[in-house]
Each structure stands twice: as C-alpha cells, then as structure tokens.
C-alpha cells in the first residue's frame, strides 16, 4: 500500500541518505522510518524490532525519499530524537523549490524516453512529444541544480523594487515578474555556478535546436527516437549520476513497469552504456564494473 502521509519536512532530512534497494527495506517509506526513529529516540525505546517494523511499512517512491534506505532513516531519526530533533541541517525554501523542480524534471524526462523507446504504431507523434518532454525536463533539472546554490541564479531578469510590496523578494514575485535564462544560456550559467560542464555540448545544442523546430515550425524527418535516447544517456544520465547519484531508468519504470526489458535492447543497438545492471534477483543496481 502506498504512503500518502504529508512528509514535506521529513523528506528534506532523508534526501541525502544512502540509496538501498535490497531485502526488507526495498521501496519502503524512508520518511515514515525516520519519524518512528525520532519518536523512539525521544522516548529512548531501545528494545525495538526494526526489521519487522520496516517490513510492514507502507511503500513510497515519492520525491526525495525515493529509494532512500529506511534503515539509515530510522537510525538518523533515533539519533535526532536522543540529541534534539533540530540537530539536522536547516530546512530552507530554496531546498523545497529545487527538490520539486528536480522531481518534476526527472518525471518529464522519464515520460519522454518511454515514448522514444517504443514504436509510434498506434501512437502518432509520440517520438516528437518524447523529444520535447526530454528537452524541457532537462532544462528544469539544470535549473534545479542551479537553484540548489541560489534561486536568483536561474533568472536573467528579477523583479524591480517597485513591484515588491514589502521590500522582500518572494517566490511569488519571481514567478510573476522574473524571467529565467534560456536553454542555450544554461550550460554557461551551470558551469559558472557549480563548475559542471555539460558534455558533449554539441549534442546539447543540436537537441535544443530540434526541440525548437518541433514546437515552433515542423517535425523534422529524422530518427527522433534515436536522437532522444542518445541525448538522454550521453548527457542527462551522466549529469544526474554525478549530481544526485540517481538514474533515469528507475523513474521510467513508473510509466511502464516492463520498460527495462525493452530499453536495454535499444541501448545495445545504439552502443550506449549506463552505470546500472540487473542483479540475480532482478533488481536494478549499480554495475560492479563501473
């Protein structure tokens, strides 16, 4: 059963915990585990059957708690309960903004590559729509990475003082009066902000031009599905591996549970490699050879 509790604050605490997809904690809600640990820490409950508790937790694949270790989450919560719940890092609005952008961007990219992986038979324009989804999703992901440093860094135009009622810029003011930087300008801003270089940059630029052609003029007569998969696994997958230690393959499964059975065939056909493989239990794990 899926967890539908409001974990908005707890999610930000467990977001940097190790990923675990094994044994009894697979897909269990890390935020629920943290909160029980916090409660037991405050009450100093030491005689607790952790395996039984986690095995019976509701499942969750949402946002920042996605794939996080429920055991580590419980342990962290217990420590905070013993020593004071406010010992964790300060939760700031920019984190909420960046995390929401990250999750939405990953979902867009995932939906796009699912469209690009399967045939268009019976699904007209699915490859073109997939390409647009992937381009837009990665644009959001780059901005999310920049926002982690400071929200104003994704804007080339910020609200004028005359537009601010109380003298303090709020997110609502940025949405109404601000203007974010364009797709073509993002690689330079990302590098200046974080030191990360998007490579290969020529593929990034080609993909952006194709996206613009689709949404502003006409669909080009090229293999859009191949271009989309090449861009995703040469550019996006590498970036999110480096930034957040995640893979787009996990997110794609949310749109098609059988997706991984097909995408690896396409990756082999295009000579594309990823840092993940199936283990003997059928779980997607980091490749031991990487």
């Amino acid at each position: 059963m899926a967890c539908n509790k409001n974990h908005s604050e707890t999610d930000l605490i467990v977001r940097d915990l190790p990923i675990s997809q094994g044994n009894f904690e697979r897909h269990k809600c890390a935020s629920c585990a943290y909160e029980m640990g916090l409660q037991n820490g405050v009450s100093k409950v030491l005689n607790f059957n952790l395996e039984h508790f986690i095995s019976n937790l509701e499942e969750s694949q949402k946002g920042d708690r996605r794939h996080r270790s429920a055991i580590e989450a419980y342990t962290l919560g217990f420590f905070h309960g013993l020593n004071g719940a406010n010992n964790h890092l300060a939760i700031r609005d920019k984190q909420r903004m960046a995390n929401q952008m990250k999750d939405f961007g990953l979902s867009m990219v995932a939906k796009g590559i699912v469209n690009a992986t399967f045939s268009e038979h019976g699904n007209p324009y699915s490859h073109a729509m997939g390409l647009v989804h992937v381009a837009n999703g990665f644009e959001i992901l780059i901005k999310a990475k920049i926002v982690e440093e400071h929200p104003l860094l994704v804007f080339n135009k910020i609200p004028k003082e005359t537009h601010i009622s109380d003298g303090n810029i709020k997110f609502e003011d940025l949405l109404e009066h601000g203007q974010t930087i364009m797709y073509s300008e993002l690689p330079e801003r990302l590098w200046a902000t974080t030191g990360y270089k998007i490579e290969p940059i020529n593929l990034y630029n080609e993909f952006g031009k194709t996206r613009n052609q689709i949404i502003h003029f006409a669909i080009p007569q090229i293999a859009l599905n191949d271009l989309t998969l090449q861009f995703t696994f040469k550019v996006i997958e590498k970036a999110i591996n480096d930034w957040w230690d995640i893979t787009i393959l996990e997110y794609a499964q949310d749109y098609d549970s059988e997706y991984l059975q097909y995408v690896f065939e396409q990756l082999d056909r295009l000579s594309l490699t990823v840092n993940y493989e199936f283990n003997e239990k059928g779980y997607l794990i980091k490749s031991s050879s990487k």
Side-chain angles (χ1 to χ4, degrees), residues 233-254:
F233 291 99
K234 286 184 178 180
V235 179
I236 301 178
E237 178 74 0
K238 179 180 183 300
I240 64 175
N241 286 174
D242 292 341
W243 296 346
W244 301 304
D245 192 27
I246 55 179
T247 173
I248 198 61
L249 293 172
E250 284 283 2
Y251 284 78
Q253 289 183 104
D254 292 344

mmCIF file with all atom_site columns, all heavy atoms in Angstrom, residues 233-254:
data_model
loop_
_atom_site.group_PDB
_atom_site.id
_atom_site.type_symbol
_atom_site.label_atom_id
_atom_site.label_alt_id
_atom_site.label_comp_id
_atom_site.label_asym_id
_atom_site.label_entity_id
_atom_site.label_seq_id
_atom_site.pdbx_PDB_ins_code
_atom_site.Cartn_x
_atom_site.Cartn_y
_atom_site.Cartn_z
_atom_site.occupancy
_atom_site.B_iso_or_equiv
_atom_site.pdbx_formal_charge
_atom_site.auth_seq_id
_atom_site.auth_comp_id
_atom_site.auth_asym_id
_atom_site.auth_atom_id
_atom_site.pdbx_PDB_model_num
ATOM 1   N N   . PHE A 1 233 ? 21.030 9.411  -22.598 1.00 0.00 ? 233 PHE A N   1
ATOM 2   C CA  . PHE A 1 233 ? 22.013 8.549  -21.939 1.00 0.00 ? 233 PHE A CA  1
ATOM 3   C C   . PHE A 1 233 ? 23.459 9.003  -22.129 1.00 0.00 ? 233 PHE A C   1
ATOM 4   O O   . PHE A 1 233 ? 24.348 8.506  -21.428 1.00 0.00 ? 233 PHE A O   1
ATOM 5   C CB  . PHE A 1 233 ? 21.807 7.106  -22.395 1.00 0.00 ? 233 PHE A CB  1
ATOM 6   C CG  . PHE A 1 233 ? 20.517 6.541  -21.862 1.00 0.00 ? 233 PHE A CG  1
ATOM 7   C CD1 . PHE A 1 233 ? 19.374 6.491  -22.649 1.00 0.00 ? 233 PHE A CD1 1
ATOM 8   C CD2 . PHE A 1 233 ? 20.428 6.111  -20.542 1.00 0.00 ? 233 PHE A CD2 1
ATOM 9   C CE1 . PHE A 1 233 ? 18.178 5.998  -22.144 1.00 0.00 ? 233 PHE A CE1 1
ATOM 10  C CE2 . PHE A 1 233 ? 19.238 5.616  -20.033 1.00 0.00 ? 233 PHE A CE2 1
ATOM 11  C CZ  . PHE A 1 233 ? 18.111 5.563  -20.824 1.00 0.00 ? 233 PHE A CZ  1
ATOM 12  N N   . LYS A 1 234 ? 23.692 9.949  -23.011 1.00 0.00 ? 234 LYS A N   1
ATOM 13  C CA  . LYS A 1 234 ? 25.035 10.536 -23.116 1.00 0.00 ? 234 LYS A CA  1
ATOM 14  C C   . LYS A 1 234 ? 25.171 11.807 -22.277 1.00 0.00 ? 234 LYS A C   1
ATOM 15  O O   . LYS A 1 234 ? 26.243 12.109 -21.769 1.00 0.00 ? 234 LYS A O   1
ATOM 16  C CB  . LYS A 1 234 ? 25.362 10.862 -24.577 1.00 0.00 ? 234 LYS A CB  1
ATOM 17  C CG  . LYS A 1 234 ? 25.677 9.660  -25.444 1.00 0.00 ? 234 LYS A CG  1
ATOM 18  C CD  . LYS A 1 234 ? 26.081 10.097 -26.849 1.00 0.00 ? 234 LYS A CD  1
ATOM 19  C CE  . LYS A 1 234 ? 26.441 8.912  -27.728 1.00 0.00 ? 234 LYS A CE  1
ATOM 20  N NZ  . LYS A 1 234 ? 26.828 9.347  -29.109 1.00 0.00 ? 234 LYS A NZ  1
ATOM 21  N N   . VAL A 1 235 ? 24.065 12.548 -22.142 1.00 0.00 ? 235 VAL A N   1
ATOM 22  C CA  . VAL A 1 235 ? 24.122 13.847 -21.462 1.00 0.00 ? 235 VAL A CA  1
ATOM 23  C C   . VAL A 1 235 ? 23.391 13.835 -20.129 1.00 0.00 ? 235 VAL A C   1
ATOM 24  O O   . VAL A 1 235 ? 23.974 14.094 -19.071 1.00 0.00 ? 235 VAL A O   1
ATOM 25  C CB  . VAL A 1 235 ? 23.550 14.960 -22.372 1.00 0.00 ? 235 VAL A CB  1
ATOM 26  C CG1 . VAL A 1 235 ? 23.595 16.304 -21.654 1.00 0.00 ? 235 VAL A CG1 1
ATOM 27  C CG2 . VAL A 1 235 ? 24.333 15.035 -23.678 1.00 0.00 ? 235 VAL A CG2 1
ATOM 28  N N   . ILE A 1 236 ? 22.090 13.523 -20.159 1.00 0.00 ? 236 ILE A N   1
ATOM 29  C CA  . ILE A 1 236 ? 21.278 13.635 -18.944 1.00 0.00 ? 236 ILE A CA  1
ATOM 30  C C   . ILE A 1 236 ? 21.664 12.589 -17.905 1.00 0.00 ? 236 ILE A C   1
ATOM 31  O O   . ILE A 1 236 ? 21.851 12.909 -16.727 1.00 0.00 ? 236 ILE A O   1
ATOM 32  C CB  . ILE A 1 236 ? 19.780 13.520 -19.273 1.00 0.00 ? 236 ILE A CB  1
ATOM 33  C CG1 . ILE A 1 236 ? 19.357 14.621 -20.250 1.00 0.00 ? 236 ILE A CG1 1
ATOM 34  C CG2 . ILE A 1 236 ? 18.955 13.593 -17.988 1.00 0.00 ? 236 ILE A CG2 1
ATOM 35  C CD1 . ILE A 1 236 ? 17.897 14.560 -20.659 1.00 0.00 ? 236 ILE A CD1 1
ATOM 36  N N   . GLU A 1 237 ? 21.754 11.337 -18.312 1.00 0.00 ? 237 GLU A N   1
ATOM 37  C CA  . GLU A 1 237 ? 22.063 10.272 -17.362 1.00 0.00 ? 237 GLU A CA  1
ATOM 38  C C   . GLU A 1 237 ? 23.390 10.531 -16.658 1.00 0.00 ? 237 GLU A C   1
ATOM 39  O O   . GLU A 1 237 ? 23.508 10.361 -15.446 1.00 0.00 ? 237 GLU A O   1
ATOM 40  C CB  . GLU A 1 237 ? 22.088 8.919  -18.083 1.00 0.00 ? 237 GLU A CB  1
ATOM 41  C CG  . GLU A 1 237 ? 22.459 7.732  -17.204 1.00 0.00 ? 237 GLU A CG  1
ATOM 42  C CD  . GLU A 1 237 ? 21.359 7.289  -16.250 1.00 0.00 ? 237 GLU A CD  1
ATOM 43  O OE1 . GLU A 1 237 ? 20.275 7.902  -16.252 1.00 0.00 ? 237 GLU A OE1 1
ATOM 44  O OE2 . GLU A 1 237 ? 21.593 6.331  -15.489 1.00 0.00 ? 237 GLU A OE2 1
ATOM 45  N N   . LYS A 1 238 ? 24.381 10.966 -17.405 1.00 0.00 ? 238 LYS A N   1
ATOM 46  C CA  . LYS A 1 238 ? 25.686 11.271 -16.804 1.00 0.00 ? 238 LYS A CA  1
ATOM 47  C C   . LYS A 1 238 ? 25.547 12.398 -15.779 1.00 0.00 ? 238 LYS A C   1
ATOM 48  O O   . LYS A 1 238 ? 26.122 12.331 -14.684 1.00 0.00 ? 238 LYS A O   1
ATOM 49  C CB  . LYS A 1 238 ? 26.688 11.667 -17.883 1.00 0.00 ? 238 LYS A CB  1
ATOM 50  C CG  . LYS A 1 238 ? 28.068 12.019 -17.340 1.00 0.00 ? 238 LYS A CG  1
ATOM 51  C CD  . LYS A 1 238 ? 29.028 12.406 -18.455 1.00 0.00 ? 238 LYS A CD  1
ATOM 52  C CE  . LYS A 1 238 ? 30.418 12.681 -17.895 1.00 0.00 ? 238 LYS A CE  1
ATOM 53  N NZ  . LYS A 1 238 ? 30.434 13.773 -16.914 1.00 0.00 ? 238 LYS A NZ  1
ATOM 54  N N   . ALA A 1 239 ? 24.776 13.429 -16.142 1.00 0.00 ? 239 ALA A N   1
ATOM 55  C CA  . ALA A 1 239 ? 24.623 14.579 -15.248 1.00 0.00 ? 239 ALA A CA  1
ATOM 56  C C   . ALA A 1 239 ? 23.944 14.180 -13.943 1.00 0.00 ? 239 ALA A C   1
ATOM 57  O O   . ALA A 1 239 ? 24.425 14.516 -12.853 1.00 0.00 ? 239 ALA A O   1
ATOM 58  C CB  . ALA A 1 239 ? 23.830 15.680 -15.945 1.00 0.00 ? 239 ALA A CB  1
ATOM 59  N N   . ILE A 1 240 ? 22.833 13.456 -14.025 1.00 0.00 ? 240 ILE A N   1
ATOM 60  C CA  . ILE A 1 240 ? 22.112 13.138 -12.786 1.00 0.00 ? 240 ILE A CA  1
ATOM 61  C C   . ILE A 1 240 ? 22.840 12.076 -11.970 1.00 0.00 ? 240 ILE A C   1
ATOM 62  O O   . ILE A 1 240 ? 22.687 12.023 -10.745 1.00 0.00 ? 240 ILE A O   1
ATOM 63  C CB  . ILE A 1 240 ? 20.646 12.741 -13.068 1.00 0.00 ? 240 ILE A CB  1
ATOM 64  C CG1 . ILE A 1 240 ? 20.546 11.456 -13.883 1.00 0.00 ? 240 ILE A CG1 1
ATOM 65  C CG2 . ILE A 1 240 ? 19.915 13.880 -13.752 1.00 0.00 ? 240 ILE A CG2 1
ATOM 66  C CD1 . ILE A 1 240 ? 19.107 10.980 -14.080 1.00 0.00 ? 240 ILE A CD1 1
ATOM 67  N N   . ASN A 1 241 ? 23.644 11.220 -12.636 1.00 0.00 ? 241 ASN A N   1
ATOM 68  C CA  . ASN A 1 241 ? 24.516 10.318 -11.887 1.00 0.00 ? 241 ASN A CA  1
ATOM 69  C C   . ASN A 1 241 ? 25.488 11.128 -11.029 1.00 0.00 ? 241 ASN A C   1
ATOM 70  O O   . ASN A 1 241 ? 25.688 10.839 -9.844  1.00 0.00 ? 241 ASN A O   1
ATOM 71  C CB  . ASN A 1 241 ? 25.343 9.436  -12.824 1.00 0.00 ? 241 ASN A CB  1
ATOM 72  C CG  . ASN A 1 241 ? 24.555 8.329  -13.501 1.00 0.00 ? 241 ASN A CG  1
ATOM 73  O OD1 . ASN A 1 241 ? 25.093 7.633  -14.349 1.00 0.00 ? 241 ASN A OD1 1
ATOM 74  N ND2 . ASN A 1 241 ? 23.294 8.150  -13.163 1.00 0.00 ? 241 ASN A ND2 1
ATOM 75  N N   . ASP A 1 242 ? 26.071 12.149 -11.637 1.00 0.00 ? 242 ASP A N   1
ATOM 76  C CA  . ASP A 1 242 ? 27.069 12.975 -10.947 1.00 0.00 ? 242 ASP A CA  1
ATOM 77  C C   . ASP A 1 242 ? 26.446 13.875 -9.893  1.00 0.00 ? 242 ASP A C   1
ATOM 78  O O   . ASP A 1 242 ? 27.000 14.063 -8.804  1.00 0.00 ? 242 ASP A O   1
ATOM 79  C CB  . ASP A 1 242 ? 27.837 13.832 -11.955 1.00 0.00 ? 242 ASP A CB  1
ATOM 80  C CG  . ASP A 1 242 ? 28.736 13.020 -12.878 1.00 0.00 ? 242 ASP A CG  1
ATOM 81  O OD1 . ASP A 1 242 ? 29.050 11.859 -12.524 1.00 0.00 ? 242 ASP A OD1 1
ATOM 82  O OD2 . ASP A 1 242 ? 29.114 13.533 -13.946 1.00 0.00 ? 242 ASP A OD2 1
ATOM 83  N N   . TRP A 1 243 ? 25.284 14.461 -10.200 1.00 0.00 ? 243 TRP A N   1
ATOM 84  C CA  . TRP A 1 243 ? 24.677 15.449 -9.301  1.00 0.00 ? 243 TRP A CA  1
ATOM 85  C C   . TRP A 1 243 ? 24.005 14.812 -8.094  1.00 0.00 ? 243 TRP A C   1
ATOM 86  O O   . TRP A 1 243 ? 24.164 15.283 -6.975  1.00 0.00 ? 243 TRP A O   1
ATOM 87  C CB  . TRP A 1 243 ? 23.641 16.277 -10.060 1.00 0.00 ? 243 TRP A CB  1
ATOM 88  C CG  . TRP A 1 243 ? 24.196 17.123 -11.162 1.00 0.00 ? 243 TRP A CG  1
ATOM 89  C CD1 . TRP A 1 243 ? 25.507 17.435 -11.371 1.00 0.00 ? 243 TRP A CD1 1
ATOM 90  C CD2 . TRP A 1 243 ? 23.453 17.744 -12.213 1.00 0.00 ? 243 TRP A CD2 1
ATOM 91  N NE1 . TRP A 1 243 ? 25.630 18.211 -12.503 1.00 0.00 ? 243 TRP A NE1 1
ATOM 92  C CE2 . TRP A 1 243 ? 24.389 18.417 -13.031 1.00 0.00 ? 243 TRP A CE2 1
ATOM 93  C CE3 . TRP A 1 243 ? 22.104 17.800 -12.544 1.00 0.00 ? 243 TRP A CE3 1
ATOM 94  C CZ2 . TRP A 1 243 ? 24.007 19.153 -14.156 1.00 0.00 ? 243 TRP A CZ2 1
ATOM 95  C CZ3 . TRP A 1 243 ? 21.711 18.516 -13.664 1.00 0.00 ? 243 TRP A CZ3 1
ATOM 96  C CH2 . TRP A 1 243 ? 22.660 19.198 -14.469 1.00 0.00 ? 243 TRP A CH2 1
ATOM 97  N N   . TRP A 1 244 ? 23.225 13.766 -8.354  1.00 0.00 ? 244 TRP A N   1
ATOM 98  C CA  . TRP A 1 244 ? 22.357 13.243 -7.290  1.00 0.00 ? 244 TRP A CA  1
ATOM 99  C C   . TRP A 1 244 ? 22.464 11.732 -7.082  1.00 0.00 ? 244 TRP A C   1
ATOM 100 O O   . TRP A 1 244 ? 21.713 11.172 -6.293  1.00 0.00 ? 244 TRP A O   1
ATOM 101 C CB  . TRP A 1 244 ? 20.901 13.609 -7.591  1.00 0.00 ? 244 TRP A CB  1
ATOM 102 C CG  . TRP A 1 244 ? 20.674 15.089 -7.701  1.00 0.00 ? 244 TRP A CG  1
ATOM 103 C CD1 . TRP A 1 244 ? 20.976 16.038 -6.760  1.00 0.00 ? 244 TRP A CD1 1
ATOM 104 C CD2 . TRP A 1 244 ? 20.088 15.791 -8.808  1.00 0.00 ? 244 TRP A CD2 1
ATOM 105 N NE1 . TRP A 1 244 ? 20.612 17.289 -7.216  1.00 0.00 ? 244 TRP A NE1 1
ATOM 106 C CE2 . TRP A 1 244 ? 20.053 17.171 -8.469  1.00 0.00 ? 244 TRP A CE2 1
ATOM 107 C CE3 . TRP A 1 244 ? 19.566 15.411 -10.043 1.00 0.00 ? 244 TRP A CE3 1
ATOM 108 C CZ2 . TRP A 1 244 ? 19.553 18.153 -9.318  1.00 0.00 ? 244 TRP A CZ2 1
ATOM 109 C CZ3 . TRP A 1 244 ? 19.062 16.377 -10.906 1.00 0.00 ? 244 TRP A CZ3 1
ATOM 110 C CH2 . TRP A 1 244 ? 19.059 17.733 -10.530 1.00 0.00 ? 244 TRP A CH2 1
ATOM 111 N N   . ASP A 1 245 ? 23.385 11.097 -7.798  1.00 0.00 ? 245 ASP A N   1
ATOM 112 C CA  . ASP A 1 245 ? 23.586 9.650  -7.670  1.00 0.00 ? 245 ASP A CA  1
ATOM 113 C C   . ASP A 1 245 ? 22.286 8.885  -7.927  1.00 0.00 ? 245 ASP A C   1
ATOM 114 O O   . ASP A 1 245 ? 21.913 7.981  -7.180  1.00 0.00 ? 245 ASP A O   1
ATOM 115 C CB  . ASP A 1 245 ? 24.132 9.308  -6.275  1.00 0.00 ? 245 ASP A CB  1
ATOM 116 C CG  . ASP A 1 245 ? 24.639 7.871  -6.193  1.00 0.00 ? 245 ASP A CG  1
ATOM 117 O OD1 . ASP A 1 245 ? 25.049 7.340  -7.231  1.00 0.00 ? 245 ASP A OD1 1
ATOM 118 O OD2 . ASP A 1 245 ? 24.609 7.290  -5.085  1.00 0.00 ? 245 ASP A OD2 1
ATOM 119 N N   . ILE A 1 246 ? 21.592 9.255  -9.007  1.00 0.00 ? 246 ILE A N   1
ATOM 120 C CA  . ILE A 1 246 ? 20.352 8.585  -9.387  1.00 0.00 ? 246 ILE A CA  1
ATOM 121 C C   . ILE A 1 246 ? 20.408 8.246  -10.868 1.00 0.00 ? 246 ILE A C   1
ATOM 122 O O   . ILE A 1 246 ? 21.263 8.758  -11.607 1.00 0.00 ? 246 ILE A O   1
ATOM 123 C CB  . ILE A 1 246 ? 19.107 9.463  -9.104  1.00 0.00 ? 246 ILE A CB  1
ATOM 124 C CG1 . ILE A 1 246 ? 19.246 10.825 -9.791  1.00 0.00 ? 246 ILE A CG1 1
ATOM 125 C CG2 . ILE A 1 246 ? 18.877 9.629  -7.622  1.00 0.00 ? 246 ILE A CG2 1
ATOM 126 C CD1 . ILE A 1 246 ? 18.055 11.734 -9.574  1.00 0.00 ? 246 ILE A CD1 1
ATOM 127 N N   . THR A 1 247 ? 19.492 7.400  -11.305 1.00 0.00 ? 247 THR A N   1
ATOM 128 C CA  . THR A 1 247 ? 19.392 7.034  -12.716 1.00 0.00 ? 247 THR A CA  1
ATOM 129 C C   . THR A 1 247 ? 17.977 7.272  -13.211 1.00 0.00 ? 247 THR A C   1
ATOM 130 O O   . THR A 1 247 ? 17.000 7.055  -12.476 1.00 0.00 ? 247 THR A O   1
ATOM 131 C CB  . THR A 1 247 ? 19.769 5.553  -12.945 1.00 0.00 ? 247 THR A CB  1
ATOM 132 O OG1 . THR A 1 247 ? 19.495 5.200  -14.313 1.00 0.00 ? 247 THR A OG1 1
ATOM 133 C CG2 . THR A 1 247 ? 18.999 4.613  -12.028 1.00 0.00 ? 247 THR A CG2 1
ATOM 134 N N   . ILE A 1 248 ? 17.855 7.693  -14.444 1.00 0.00 ? 248 ILE A N   1
ATOM 135 C CA  . ILE A 1 248 ? 16.543 7.941  -15.033 1.00 0.00 ? 248 ILE A CA  1
ATOM 136 C C   . ILE A 1 248 ? 15.776 6.637  -15.257 1.00 0.00 ? 248 ILE A C   1
ATOM 137 O O   . ILE A 1 248 ? 14.548 6.637  -15.371 1.00 0.00 ? 248 ILE A O   1
ATOM 138 C CB  . ILE A 1 248 ? 16.681 8.722  -16.366 1.00 0.00 ? 248 ILE A CB  1
ATOM 139 C CG1 . ILE A 1 248 ? 15.339 9.366  -16.739 1.00 0.00 ? 248 ILE A CG1 1
ATOM 140 C CG2 . ILE A 1 248 ? 17.202 7.830  -17.476 1.00 0.00 ? 248 ILE A CG2 1
ATOM 141 C CD1 . ILE A 1 248 ? 14.826 10.373 -15.730 1.00 0.00 ? 248 ILE A CD1 1
ATOM 142 N N   . LEU A 1 249 ? 16.489 5.508  -15.273 1.00 0.00 ? 249 LEU A N   1
ATOM 143 C CA  . LEU A 1 249 ? 15.842 4.220  -15.508 1.00 0.00 ? 249 LEU A CA  1
ATOM 144 C C   . LEU A 1 249 ? 14.819 3.902  -14.432 1.00 0.00 ? 249 LEU A C   1
ATOM 145 O O   . LEU A 1 249 ? 13.756 3.345  -14.713 1.00 0.00 ? 249 LEU A O   1
ATOM 146 C CB  . LEU A 1 249 ? 16.902 3.114  -15.576 1.00 0.00 ? 249 LEU A CB  1
ATOM 147 C CG  . LEU A 1 249 ? 17.850 3.186  -16.771 1.00 0.00 ? 249 LEU A CG  1
ATOM 148 C CD1 . LEU A 1 249 ? 18.975 2.161  -16.622 1.00 0.00 ? 249 LEU A CD1 1
ATOM 149 C CD2 . LEU A 1 249 ? 17.111 2.980  -18.085 1.00 0.00 ? 249 LEU A CD2 1
ATOM 150 N N   . GLU A 1 250 ? 15.125 4.245  -13.180 1.00 0.00 ? 250 GLU A N   1
ATOM 151 C CA  . GLU A 1 250 ? 14.177 3.981  -12.096 1.00 0.00 ? 250 GLU A CA  1
ATOM 152 C C   . GLU A 1 250 ? 12.892 4.781  -12.279 1.00 0.00 ? 250 GLU A C   1
ATOM 153 O O   . GLU A 1 250 ? 11.799 4.301  -12.007 1.00 0.00 ? 250 GLU A O   1
ATOM 154 C CB  . GLU A 1 250 ? 14.814 4.319  -10.746 1.00 0.00 ? 250 GLU A CB  1
ATOM 155 C CG  . GLU A 1 250 ? 15.813 3.290  -10.250 1.00 0.00 ? 250 GLU A CG  1
ATOM 156 C CD  . GLU A 1 250 ? 15.136 2.055  -9.677  1.00 0.00 ? 250 GLU A CD  1
ATOM 157 O OE1 . GLU A 1 250 ? 13.890 1.981  -9.703  1.00 0.00 ? 250 GLU A OE1 1
ATOM 158 O OE2 . GLU A 1 250 ? 15.859 1.155  -9.206  1.00 0.00 ? 250 GLU A OE2 1
ATOM 159 N N   . TYR A 1 251 ? 13.028 6.021  -12.736 1.00 0.00 ? 251 TYR A N   1
ATOM 160 C CA  . TYR A 1 251 ? 11.852 6.877  -12.912 1.00 0.00 ? 251 TYR A CA  1
ATOM 161 C C   . TYR A 1 251 ? 11.017 6.406  -14.106 1.00 0.00 ? 251 TYR A C   1
ATOM 162 O O   . TYR A 1 251 ? 9.796  6.521  -14.096 1.00 0.00 ? 251 TYR A O   1
ATOM 163 C CB  . TYR A 1 251 ? 12.275 8.331  -13.096 1.00 0.00 ? 251 TYR A CB  1
ATOM 164 C CG  . TYR A 1 251 ? 12.685 8.990  -11.815 1.00 0.00 ? 251 TYR A CG  1
ATOM 165 C CD1 . TYR A 1 251 ? 13.937 8.757  -11.256 1.00 0.00 ? 251 TYR A CD1 1
ATOM 166 C CD2 . TYR A 1 251 ? 11.823 9.841  -11.128 1.00 0.00 ? 251 TYR A CD2 1
ATOM 167 C CE1 . TYR A 1 251 ? 14.317 9.345  -10.058 1.00 0.00 ? 251 TYR A CE1 1
ATOM 168 C CE2 . TYR A 1 251 ? 12.189 10.434 -9.929  1.00 0.00 ? 251 TYR A CE2 1
ATOM 169 C CZ  . TYR A 1 251 ? 13.444 10.184 -9.407  1.00 0.00 ? 251 TYR A CZ  1
ATOM 170 O OH  . TYR A 1 251 ? 13.807 10.759 -8.220  1.00 0.00 ? 251 TYR A OH  1
ATOM 171 N N   . ALA A 1 252 ? 11.679 5.901  -15.140 1.00 0.00 ? 252 ALA A N   1
ATOM 172 C CA  . ALA A 1 252 ? 10.950 5.440  -16.326 1.00 0.00 ? 252 ALA A CA  1
ATOM 173 C C   . ALA A 1 252 ? 10.031 4.269  -15.998 1.00 0.00 ? 252 ALA A C   1
ATOM 174 O O   . ALA A 1 252 ? 8.966  4.111  -16.607 1.00 0.00 ? 252 ALA A O   1
ATOM 175 C CB  . ALA A 1 252 ? 11.932 5.053  -17.424 1.00 0.00 ? 252 ALA A CB  1
ATOM 176 N N   . GLN A 1 253 ? 10.424 3.458  -15.024 1.00 0.00 ? 253 GLN A N   1
ATOM 177 C CA  . GLN A 1 253 ? 9.591  2.317  -14.641 1.00 0.00 ? 253 GLN A CA  1
ATOM 178 C C   . GLN A 1 253 ? 8.244  2.741  -14.080 1.00 0.00 ? 253 GLN A C   1
ATOM 179 O O   . GLN A 1 253 ? 7.290  1.960  -14.090 1.00 0.00 ? 253 GLN A O   1
ATOM 180 C CB  . GLN A 1 253 ? 10.322 1.475  -13.585 1.00 0.00 ? 253 GLN A CB  1
ATOM 181 C CG  . GLN A 1 253 ? 11.515 0.714  -14.117 1.00 0.00 ? 253 GLN A CG  1
ATOM 182 C CD  . GLN A 1 253 ? 12.143 -0.148 -13.040 1.00 0.00 ? 253 GLN A CD  1
ATOM 183 O OE1 . GLN A 1 253 ? 11.974 -1.363 -13.027 1.00 0.00 ? 253 GLN A OE1 1
ATOM 184 N NE2 . GLN A 1 253 ? 12.848 0.483  -12.117 1.00 0.00 ? 253 GLN A NE2 1
ATOM 185 N N   . ASP A 1 254 ? 8.154  3.987  -13.582 1.00 0.00 ? 254 ASP A N   1
ATOM 186 C CA  . ASP A 1 254 ? 6.874  4.472  -13.058 1.00 0.00 ? 254 ASP A CA  1
ATOM 187 C C   . ASP A 1 254 ? 5.831  4.588  -14.164 1.00 0.00 ? 254 ASP A C   1
ATOM 188 O O   . ASP A 1 254 ? 4.627  4.528  -13.900 1.00 0.00 ? 254 ASP A O   1
ATOM 189 C CB  . ASP A 1 254 ? 7.052  5.836  -12.386 1.00 0.00 ? 254 ASP A CB  1
ATOM 190 C CG  . ASP A 1 254 ? 7.866  5.749  -11.105 1.00 0.00 ? 254 ASP A CG  1
ATOM 191 O OD1 . ASP A 1 254 ? 8.029  4.626  -10.585 1.00 0.00 ? 254 ASP A OD1 1
ATOM 192 O OD2 . ASP A 1 254 ? 8.354  6.795  -10.637 1.00 0.00 ? 254 ASP A OD2 1
#
